[in-house]
């Protein structure tokens, strides 16, 4: 603890002197109200502090107290279902203390200190344990077991005592002997937000994070432990897609960071998410979710904190061996905060005024995702998937934040307002989006779903790309310029777009599609296309192909319930019947097209 004083206040940046022992990223309390801040620059006896609360009213000579500790989050049972602000203050508790508007300097513990949890030991007295091993577990919510792990600093310790029963997070649940000394273990612990939590090693992502959204899972899949970026111009369906991901992604834990979006956009999330039910368990979705809300009317610097707070919480659950999905909305607002602070620090600006380290900051954030072997002797795996939205001004994808993000992430879902106006939802443009996990996921598809899944994917992509070229010709010289084969291709592409890519988030049967059903649907559509071509070559009239009755059934196939997938296969048979019978007939003498 060291006391200094303010010499200058510049928006969220405060410069103080007298903090001679302070280190970079130490947490400080600023002014009489003890606002929370972090040291981000030390130069010539002055410390520049980024303050995470509104700084109005602060002035020179006001006290600054250095805590000597880095900004940390609290970890332990009670995190799930919580709604926090950027520096992990629970909004519901603050509300009960301070009313609807967050007043400054409010201190509220992130984790409830009074609540008792039933701790069930998973080791015995006398056992030898290492960092990361499970000492016991707590039923945090009815769907998630919170594991209490041996803290990372204890490499090889002996369990001296372990207690079963109801404890608060501050009571000891075990005593470990490490290097001849006894240490009490409590369920509550801290971790500095800017430091990635340790793991044994990173593995290449393999399995897809199944989202039930066809355009994502079949065309641009993201792996568990992967990274994705989704730009969302206003009205392009960004909120809906985020909800769909939070709801359907097969991750056990979801951490949602609302980082500086407009207050009303965040309200949508804050009001709607707690009402959603988890489709896998039927329990409230919040039982596996942590929300971090940091709206644009809160101080910009807090956006930085919220990003780090969120990813640290996500890492903590990953360490328990869970699949965690982290959604950050939007990283552009965070980048804008970096720009503002950098400007006030009078650093040399890079492109469009963003600091030169924008790219490395973004990379350091996404780097904390991944599929890892966790600490602990059981070699369990955990994954952290990071999905960041970006909101480029005017939808301009060439601006620095999008470009810097695209250099890092491996999946890009290009949401487009043009498609949204055409009511094509999800409005992900299939021509600009990509996934670099396809090679890995292709193996998974082959093993878990069907050998020819990848071929179907490739064929569909080819058709869609060819359609884009042909559309250009049609636009210039009209549909008559196309050959019959090209007309059939255009129909095939239309079917892929309308019967596969378009998915109504609000239709019970359409909102989620399993991988198996996605495979059957695409197979049906491609089958129809290929047989159409064949039938034409064998002489079937073009108009009969284009107006085939079975097309109506193909269009409705996406509404076939999951438990009746056989029906989709039946439609395949009908396709064969309608196209091939005719083909035979034409062979026997009737004229084709
Ligand atoms: P944004 O957050 O980008 O401004 P929203 O997510 O609120 O846009 O979407 C705008 C509207 O688009 C929604 O109210 C909804 O009617 C429609 N929409 C978006 N995605 C879908 C979808 N997958 N299925 C059906 N409708 C959708």
């Amino acid at each position: 603890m060291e006391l200094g004083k303010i010499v200058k206040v510049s928006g969220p940046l405060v410069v103080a002197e007298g903090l001679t022992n302070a280190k970079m990223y130490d947490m400080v309390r600023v002014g009489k109200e003890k606002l929370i801040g972090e040291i981000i620059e030390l130069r010539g006896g002055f410390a520049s502090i980024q303050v995470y609360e509104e700084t109005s009213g602060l002035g020179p000579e006001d006290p600054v107290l250095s805590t000597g500790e880095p900004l940390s989050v609290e970890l332990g049972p009670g995190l799930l279902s919580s709604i926090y602000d950027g520096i992990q203050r629970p909004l519901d508790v603050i509300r009960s203390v301070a009313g609807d508007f967050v007043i400054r300097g409010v201190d509220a513990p992130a984790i409830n200190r009074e609540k008792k949890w039933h701790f069930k030991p998973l080791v015995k007295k006398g056992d030898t344990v290492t960092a990361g091993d499970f000492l016991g577990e707590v039923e945090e919510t009815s769907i998630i077991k919170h594991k209490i792990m041996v803290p990372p600093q204890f490499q090889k310790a002996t369990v001296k005592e372990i207690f079963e029963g109801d404890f608060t997070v501050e009571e000891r649940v075990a005593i470990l002997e490490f290097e001849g000394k006894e240490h009490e273990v409590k369920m509550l612990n801290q971790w500095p937000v800017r430091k990635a939590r340790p793991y044994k090693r990173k593995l290449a992502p393999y399995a897809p994070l199944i989202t039930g959204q066809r355009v994502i899972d079949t065309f641009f899949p993201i792996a568990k432990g992967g990274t994705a970026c989704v730009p969302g111009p206003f009205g392009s369906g960004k909120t809906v897609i985020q909800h769909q991901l939070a709801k359907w992604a097969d991750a056990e834990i979801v951490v949602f960071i609302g980082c500086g979006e407009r207050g009303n956009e965040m309200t949508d999330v804050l009001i709607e998410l707690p009402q959603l039910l988890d489709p896998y368990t039927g329990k409230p979705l919040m039982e596996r979710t942590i929300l971090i809300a940091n709206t644009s009317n809160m101080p910009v610097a807090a956006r930085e904190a919220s990003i780090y707070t969120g990813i640290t919480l996500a890492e903590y659950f990953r360490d328990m061996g869970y699949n965690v999905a982290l959604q950050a909305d939007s990283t552009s607002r965070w980048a804008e905060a970096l720009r503002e602070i950098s400007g006030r620090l009078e650093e040399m600006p890079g492109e469009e005024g963003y600091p030169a380290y924008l790219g490395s900051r973004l990379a350091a954030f996404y780097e904390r995702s991944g599929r890892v072997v966790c600490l602990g002797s059981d070699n369990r795996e955990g994954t952290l998937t990071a999905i960041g939205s970006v909101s480029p001004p005017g939808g301009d994808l060439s601006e620095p934040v999008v470009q810097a993000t695209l250099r890092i992430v491996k999946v890009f879902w290009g949401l487009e307002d043009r498609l949204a106006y055409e009511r094509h939802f999800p409005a992900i443009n299939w021509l600009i989006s990509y996934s670099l996990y396809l090679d890995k996921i292709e193996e998974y598809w082959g093993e878990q779903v069907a050998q020819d899944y990848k071929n179907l994917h490739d064929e569909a992509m080819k058709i869609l790309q060819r359609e884009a070229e042909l559309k250009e010709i049609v636009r210039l010289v009209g549909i008559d310029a196309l050959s019959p084969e090209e007309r059939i291709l255009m129909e095939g592409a239309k079917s892929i777009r309308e019967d596969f890519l378009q998915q109504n988030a609000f239709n019970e049967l359409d909102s989620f599609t399993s991988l198996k059903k996605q495979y059957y649907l695409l197979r049906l559509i491609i089958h129809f296309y290929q047989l159409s071509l064949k039938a034409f070559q064998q002489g079937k009239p073009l108009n009969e192909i284009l107006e085939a009755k079975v097309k109506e059934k193909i269009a409705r196939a996406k509404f076939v319930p999951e438990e009746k997938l056989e029906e989709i296969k039946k439609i395949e048979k009908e396709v064969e019947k309608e196209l091939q019978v005719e083909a035979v007939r034409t062979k026997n003498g009737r004229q084709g097209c």
Side-chain angles (χ1 to χ4, degrees), residues 85 259 294 443:
D85 75 354
C259 170
N294 208 79
E443 286 171 32

Side-chain angles (χ1 to χ4, degrees), residues 213 232-242 244 262 265 268 415 420 423-427 503-507:
Q213 310 307 301
F234 183 70
S236 61
K238 189 167 63 132
T239 315
V240 174
I241 207 143
Q242 273 164 346
Q244 289 293 88
R262 283 178 292 277
E265 286 181 17
D268 282 354
L415 278 181
R423 310 296 299 161
H424 175 110
F425 289 118
Q503 188 167 2
N504 186 347
F506 306 108
N507 181 299

Side-chain angles (χ1 to χ4, degrees), residues 251-270:
E252 285 104 351
I253 309 281
V254 174
V255 178
F256 194 102
I257 312 172
C259 170
E261 282 303 309
R262 283 178 292 277
N264 52 351
E265 286 181 17
M266 201 56 219
T267 338
D268 282 354
V269 178
L270 288 182

